[in-house]
Amino acid sequence: MTMTADPVLQCYIHNIFGPPSPLIKNYLREAGFWHVATIGWGCKLDPKLISELIERWRPETHTFHLPCGKCTIALEDVHLQLGLPVDVYAVTGSASSTDWGAVCYKLLGVIPNNINGGRIEMG
């Protein structure tokens, strides 16, 4: 099946032009995301390939359905391929709350026992 690239995806790919702003560089390094922010530099991204992968992704099972079988991306895969730390605190968006258990339940569907302020200790 031949896919045509999604116009939004095509626009996004052409707008990856260089490094993140120097204003956030230190924040990305501190959070352990600098490597991820630099992944796209110098790479030729194939919009048709990316579109095909998007078509094969099944969000209900978190798997890619490929001709050779199913493929699941585990947290360990992300750690090995992107160099992101997965055994410390999780990085989330900004949230102001006095009831972090409620925030966790809304986002994760459970209330973990290891909440430390606005952080969840990972291990």
Side-chain angles (χ1 to χ4, degrees):
M1 176 178 178
T2 304
M3 296 284 305
T4 57
D6 181 280
V8 174
L9 180 62
Q10 187 81 16
C11 179
Y12 176 76
I13 288 172
H14 288 297
N15 285 315
I16 299 175
F17 58 88
S21 166
L23 298 172
I24 64 169
K25 183 176 181 178
N26 289 333
Y27 295 113
L28 290 169
R29 286 186 192 277
E30 186 178 330
F33 278 93
W34 179 250
H35 177 70
V36 175
T38 63
I39 286 174
W41 301 354
C43 289
K44 183 178 183 293
L45 300 175
D46 185 345
K48 291 181 181 180
L49 175 62
I50 295 170
S51 292
E52 188 66 31
L53 285 171
I54 291 169
E55 288 293 319
R56 294 176 181 274
W57 177 251
R58 300 295 180 265
E60 62 278 355
T61 58
H62 302 285
T63 57
F64 289 102
H65 287 238
L66 305 172
C68 59
K70 295 179 184 177
C71 174
T72 300
I73 299 173
L75 189 57
E76 184 179 12
D77 298 327
V78 173
H79 169 67
L80 292 172
Q81 293 176 9
L82 302 180
L84 290 174
V86 295
D87 58 354
V88 289
Y89 292 109
V91 178
T92 63
S94 163
S96 298
S97 178
T98 55
D99 187 0
W100 288 105
V103 171
C104 287
Y105 187 77
K106 180 181 176 188
L107 296 173
L108 304 172
V110 296
I111 302 174
N113 296 329
N114 52 352
I115 299 174
N116 181 7
R119 298 177 173 188
I120 301 171
E121 190 174 328
M122 307 293 281

